[in-house]
Amino acid sequence: MARVFNNTIWSRRADNTPIKMGDLTVTQDRTLFVYSDDYLNSGLPGMALLASPHAWGDQPVEFKTREGFPVHPRLMSIIPGEGRRNIQRRVFAKMLEKMGKPTTPGFETDWEMALMAGANAIGHLALFRDDIQAMKWFERPLSTDVVGSRSKFWKSLREDISLDQTAFDPDVIAQYIGPTPTAGGMIPKLLVSIMDPGQGQWDGGITRPGTPDRLDVILKIEPAEYRDVLTLEKLCLDLHERAGFKVPRSWLRQIDGLKVLAVERFDRGPQGALLPQETFRSVIATGNRSFISNDDVEMDTLPGYLEKLGQVCDLDVAAAKKEFYRRYLMAMLTGNGDMHLENVSFLGGNHGTTLSPVYDPAPMRAWPQHDTRSAVPVDFRTGETWPHAIQRLGIAYGYTPAGWRELVERALADTASYLEELMALPIDQPRKDRLAVIVPDMRKEMQDLLVSGLKKTG
Ligand SMILES: Nc1ncnc2c1ncn2[C@@H]1O[C@H](COP(=O)(O)OP(=O)(O)OP(=O)(O)O)[C@@H](O)[C@H]1O
Ligand SMILES: [Mg+2]
C-alpha cells in the first residue's frame, strides 16, 4: 500500500520566533494542507499565492496529484532536482542509505529527501517530518563553523564537478555543511552563508545557511559541461543592473580550482527575515490543471495569468506585465532564450506581491542544445516573423506603440556594449563565436523593425 505522509510546515514571525503554519498530508493522489489557528490569526503570508489563509481559512487546501506534480507545486522546489549533478540528491541518498531507508527512485524517496532538507529552503516555508523535529530545529545551536577555501569539502566538489571524476564523497559534504536545502535549476548549487563581500574581501569560506551576521547566498558551482556559464551570467547580471533592473548582488570567484558565483538571496530580509517566494511555474501549475511544462502555456497567454493573479494578490498587474516583457526583450538581445517559468518568481505574500529581482540571465544560446529564442513558446499569427511577434507581444503586455518603440530603443542602448564586453571575457572561443552571430542578428532584426515600423506610421 502506498504510504501516507503526515508532516508539518512552519515559518517565522517578523520577530523571527517560529510559528507552526499548519499540517500537511501527502498521499498518492492528493496534498492536503490545513492552517493552524495560530497561523490564521497571525496575518502572516500563506503557503502559496493561490493558497492564502484569506481564501481557505480553516478548510483544507487541496491539490490533486497529476503528471509532473506528485505534491502541491509550491512544495516541489523543496525536492532535490533530478540531475546527475545534483549535490543535495547525492548527499541525501547517502544519508538515507545510512539510516537503512530505501533509496529506490520515486516519489517516496524524493519526499524523504525533502523532509531532511525542508528548513531554510527558498522562501518562507520550512517543511518538517513532525512538530518535534521542527521545534528541535528552531532550538538548535547555531553553528558558525566555517568551511575554509582549502578544505576537503572543495576538493571533493572539485573532483566531481570540474574534473568529472567519481571521487565525490557525499559524506565529506554532509559533514561540513549538513543536509543543506535545495534550490531548483540545472546548475549545481548550494544554499550557504558567506562573509558579506561588500564589507571586506570574501576568502571563499562558507557556513551553513542562516548563520548569524553572515550573508545568505545561492552558491552556483560551474560544472564542466557548462564551462563559462557563470562568467557569462555575471556579465548579464551586471548588464541588467546597469540598465536599472533590480538585481541581487553577486560575486564571481575561483575557489580551490572551482568557479563559483555567489548570489545574494532576495528571499531573506534584514536579520534573516523570511520573505515568501514562489516561481511563476508554481503559480500556473496550481491554478491550471492542464499545465505540465513550459510548452503548455504561450507568451501570449502569460499576461492573462498575471491578471488572474492580480485578482487574489496586491500585484501591480500593469507594471508586472511591462516589467516581464522588458526582461524578455533583454533576454532576446543578450542571447538568452531560457527565460522559462522558473526563472521568474514572485516575492512577498498576497499582500505586497512583486516580481522578484532578475536572476539567472545567462545567455544560454551560447550552447547549441539551448539555442532556442524563447523557452516559453510564441503563438505566431499566419505569416508572422519573429520581430513582428515580439512587437505584437509588446502591445499585449501593455505598451502603446510609441511606448514600445521607446522601450526597444532603450533596450538596444542598454545592450549596445554587450558584445564587446563579452568578447573581452576570459571564456572559450566557441561560446564567443556563437554569440557573435546570435547577438548582432537579434539587434539587426529589432533595428530593422524600428525603421520599417517608423516608415509604416509615417
Ligand atoms: N538570488 C536568489 N534569491 C532567492 N532565490 C533565488 C535566487 N536565485 C535563484 N533563486 C531560486 O533558485 C532557483 C534556481 O536558481 P537559478 O535559476 O539561478 O539556477 P539554474 O540552475 O541556473 O537554473 P536553470 O535550470 O534555469 O538554468 C530559481 O528558480 C529561484 O527559485
Ligand atoms: Mg534557472
Coordinates of all heavy atoms in Angstrom, one line a residue, residues 184-186 220 338 340 342-343 359-360, ligand 2:
G184 N 16.1 25.0 -6.9 CA 15.9 24.3 -8.2 C 17.0 24.6 -9.2 O 18.0 25.3 -8.9
G185 N 16.7 24.3 -10.4 CA 17.6 24.6 -11.5 C 18.7 23.5 -11.8 O 18.9 22.6 -11.1
M186 N 19.3 23.7 -13.0 CA 20.2 22.7 -13.6 C 21.6 22.8 -13.1 O 22.3 21.8 -13.1 CB 20.1 23.0 -15.1 CG 20.6 22.0 -16.0 SD 20.2 22.6 -17.7 CE 21.0 24.2 -17.8
K220 N 26.4 29.1 -6.8 CA 26.3 28.3 -8.0 C 27.7 27.8 -8.4 O 28.7 28.6 -8.2 CB 25.7 29.1 -9.2 CG 24.3 29.6 -8.9 CD 23.7 30.4 -10.0 CE 23.0 29.6 -11.0 NZ 22.1 30.4 -11.9
D338 N 16.3 31.4 -22.5 CA 15.9 30.5 -21.4 C 15.1 31.1 -20.3 O 15.2 30.8 -19.1 CB 17.3 29.9 -20.8 CG 17.0 28.5 -20.1 OD1 16.1 27.8 -20.6 OD2 17.7 28.2 -19.2
H340 N 12.5 30.8 -18.8 CA 11.3 29.9 -18.6 C 10.6 30.3 -17.2 O 11.1 31.2 -16.5 CB 11.8 28.5 -18.6 CG 12.9 28.1 -17.7 ND1 12.7 28.1 -16.3 CD2 14.2 27.8 -17.9 CE1 13.8 27.8 -15.7 NE2 14.8 27.6 -16.6
E342 N 10.5 29.1 -14.4 CA 11.2 29.0 -13.1 C 12.3 30.1 -13.0 O 12.9 30.2 -12.0 CB 11.7 27.7 -12.8 CG 10.6 26.7 -12.4 CD 11.2 25.3 -12.2 OE1 11.6 24.7 -13.2 OE2 11.2 24.8 -11.1
N343 N 12.4 30.8 -14.0 CA 13.4 31.9 -14.0 C 12.8 33.3 -13.7 O 13.4 34.3 -13.9 CB 14.2 32.0 -15.3 CG 15.4 30.9 -15.2 OD1 15.7 30.4 -14.2 ND2 15.9 30.6 -16.4
Y359 N 17.1 37.1 -12.0 CA 18.1 36.1 -11.7 C 18.2 35.2 -12.9 O 17.4 35.1 -13.8 CB 17.7 35.3 -10.4 CG 16.4 34.6 -10.4 CD1 16.4 33.3 -10.9 CD2 15.3 35.1 -10.0 CE1 15.2 32.5 -10.9 CE2 14.1 34.4 -10.0 CZ 14.0 33.1 -10.5 OH 12.8 32.4 -10.5
D360 N 19.3 34.5 -12.9 CA 19.6 33.5 -14.0 C 19.5 34.1 -15.4 O 18.9 33.5 -16.3 CB 18.7 32.3 -13.8 CG 19.3 31.1 -14.5 OD1 20.5 31.1 -14.9 OD2 18.5 30.1 -14.6
Ligands
MG2 MG 17.1 29.0 -13.5

